[in-house]
Amino acid sequence: QVQVVESGGGLVQPGGSLRLSCAASGSIFRMYDMGWYRQAPGKERELVASITSSSVTTYADSAKGRFTISRDNAKNTVYLQMNNLKPDDTATYYCKANLVYYLAPQRDYWGQGTQVTVSS
């Protein structure tokens, strides 16, 4: 089985920083794109940032200039460094990993989410 586990969420004051981590484990044959999404109460899940296996990155407009996505291919891990956090960044952050597991077809696997709350 594939497990995708996020960590690093928490409560932070406006202007503060957090670093989220997401590790995929299991009999992973090959990892493709990895990404971070978020969902605030009453809103749809939205892309925050994504990164390809060759480290080409994409950011939502709201994340540009404040968030940085990176990955460690050897560890099947993706990170999201979030700086200058704002109350509007409050949401549950989910990690998505697109991969081939053992003999199964390539598909997306999601983590359970980690809560980020930005409040004074």
Side-chain angles (χ1 to χ4, degrees):
Q1 272 287 22
V2 173
Q3 284 193 317
V4 177
V5 180
E6 304 99 335
S7 61
L11 173 64
V12 64
Q13 292 186 341
S17 298
L18 282 175
R19 188 191 194 213
L20 306 183
S21 299
C22 168
S25 62
S27 298
I28 297 170
F29 178 71
R30 184 167 180 178
M31 182 75 74
Y32 293 91
D33 293 2
M34 302 183 80
W36 288 97
Y37 291 72
R38 67 186 183 187
Q39 187 167 20
K43 294 186 177 181
E44 293 187 354
R45 191 173 297 188
E46 62 178 5
L47 172 70
V48 176
S50 65
I51 185 167
T52 69
S53 57
S54 54
S55 295
V56 175
T57 58
T58 300
Y59 293 94
D61 287 344
S62 59
K64 289 178 181 177
R66 299 188 300 128
F67 296 0
T68 302
I69 189 170
S70 60
R71 65 189 285 168
D72 183 334
N73 290 330
K75 297 180 179 179
N76 289 329
T77 298
V78 63
Y79 307 96
L80 186 68
Q81 177 66 43
M82 303 187 294
N83 298 327
N84 190 22
L85 282 160
K86 305 175 181 179
D88 284 349
D89 295 318
T90 296
T92 301
Y93 284 69
Y94 296 92
C95 175
K96 185 181 79 171
N98 184 266
L99 57 90
V100 174
Y101 161 70
Y102 192 45
L103 299 178
Q106 179 182 351
R107 73 171 182 91
D108 294 332
Y109 292 81
W110 290 87
Q112 292 298 309
T114 185
Q115 179 66 37
V116 172
T117 302
V118 185
S119 175
S120 55

